[in-house]
Amino acid sequence: MSAMTTDAAPAERGSHAGLVHRLLHHRGFVTGLVGVLILLTVALVGPLLVGDPDLTRFTQQLTPPSAAFPLGTDSAGRDVMARTVYGARVSLLAALVVFAITTTLGIGVGVTAALAGGRIDAFLCRCCDVMLGLPSLVMALAIVGALGPGLINLVVAMSITGWAGLAKLCRTLALDCRHRGDVIAARMAGVSPARIAVGHILPSVLIYGLISATLGLGETVLGLAGMSFLGLGVQPPTAEWGSMLNASRIDLAVAPWLLIGPGLGLVLVVTSVTLISDALRDCADLKELS
């Protein structure tokens, strides 16, 4: 048994190293990673370099882009550059929280259903079917409507409606893993079900669960921005890309520069995440990582 375990560990490390090597030589992954690093730098360091995003200057309303205000000012005279930078922190943090919650729920429920079997599996599958049978956007709108508008309530709504598809996928992957040679050998050697689940099944499911979750991260960012655009997310005067786009509609004809900051931010996020997820899908080898 010990020999089997020690042989499996280097093989697993080698497969993961091969995936990392392929990703680092994938042009799309490198481009997307650079974009994500730029966004994270802006979100973390940017607020230290710009002014107060909520400072109103009623004598400088709707000022075009200039040296003092690179992205101009809005109808209240607030610096659009500062609001875009602060909005990056809010938008990215909300998307990452939703990503973490839905990924944890999806992988946890899927693996639990596959390994438990019986009534537990049937119950969890029915829950997933119910969630998948209802439009996620409509469900999110209903939940936010019941809880009230706000960033926390929006994150809760998006998290509740976003895990079921990943759970079904992870359940299928976990069921396939149960029939692998190393899992059967470990079971015959008397290894406990918990150790088999953690040491043999979960690593493979986790990799592909993360890849699948990453594929939907860009959609999550757009969903959060769309909800805020409708006034169901961040409330004024807090800066957030979706709410900034909503506020810019009124003055769009005379101040089109209001769209530049939040619009480019959303485009960069979705493009970077899409490039990374496509690279993960291209470079991952199910047989190698199993």
Side-chain angles (χ1 to χ4, degrees), residues 15 29 45 56 62 69 74 84 86 92 104 114 119 121 129 138 140-141 151 160 174 181 216 225 262 267 275-276:
S15 63
F29 178 82
V45 182
T56 57
L62 300 178
F69 304 106
D74 62 10
T84 300
Y86 274 87
L92 294 178
T104 302
R119 294 182 178 179
D121 182 24
D129 292 338
V138 175
L141 287 171
L151 181 61
I160 291 176
V267 170
L275 289 173
I276 290 176

Side-chain angles (χ1 to χ4, degrees), residues 26-271:
H26 193 287
R27 184 176 301 175
F29 178 82
V30 174
T31 304
L33 182 61
V34 170
V36 169
L37 292 176
I38 292 174
L39 288 165
L40 291 177
T41 301
V42 170
L44 296 176
V45 182
L48 303 176
L49 305 177
V50 297
D52 184 357
D54 300 326
L55 178 61
T56 57
R57 307 172 182 85
F58 290 107
T59 59
Q60 297 175 308
Q61 295 174 312
L62 300 178
T63 301
S66 62
F69 304 106
L71 293 179
T73 62
D74 62 10
S75 58
R78 296 174 296 192
D79 186 358
V80 177
M81 170 71 83
R83 292 184 62 77
T84 300
V85 170
Y86 274 87
R89 176 177 292 185
V90 175
S91 299
L92 294 178
L93 178 61
L96 290 176
V97 170
V98 173
F99 174 81
I101 295 175
T102 54
T103 302
T104 302
L105 281 175
I107 294 177
V109 171
V111 173
T112 300
L115 298 182
R119 294 182 178 179
I120 296 178
D121 182 24
F123 172 75
L124 293 177
C125 286
R126 295 297 81 74
C127 290
C128 292
D129 292 338
V130 170
M131 297 296 295
L132 292 174
L134 298 173
S136 58
L137 180 59
V138 175
M139 283 189 61
L141 287 171
I143 294 172
V144 175
L147 298 178
L151 181 61
I152 295 178
N153 293 340
L154 177 57
V155 168
V156 170
M158 296 289 290
S159 301
I160 291 176
T161 59
W163 59 270
L166 180 61
K168 296 282 283 188
L169 172 64
C170 291
R171 175 183 177 273
T172 302
L173 292 173
L175 288 174
D176 291 340
C177 290
R178 292 178 59 183
H179 303 291
R180 288 204 323 248
D182 61 319
V183 176
I184 296 175
R187 191 181 300 120
M188 293 177 63
V191 180
S192 66
R195 289 188 61 185
I196 292 176
V198 174
H200 294 266
I201 295 177
L202 188 58
S204 296
V205 175
L206 185 62
I207 292 172
Y208 277 87
L210 288 174
I211 292 175
S212 178
T214 305
L215 288 170
L217 184 55
E219 184 177 337
T220 299
V221 174
L222 289 178
L224 289 167
M227 290 290 194
S228 294
F229 182 86
L230 296 175
L232 300 176
V234 173
Q235 299 300 298
T238 304
E240 193 273 339
W241 289 342
S243 61
M244 290 175 64
L245 290 174
N246 181 36
S248 68
R249 294 184 302 112
I250 301 175
D251 304 303
L252 184 59
V254 295
W257 57 82
L258 297 176
L259 295 175
I260 296 176
L264 286 179
L266 287 173
V267 170
L268 182 56
V269 170
V270 175
T271 301

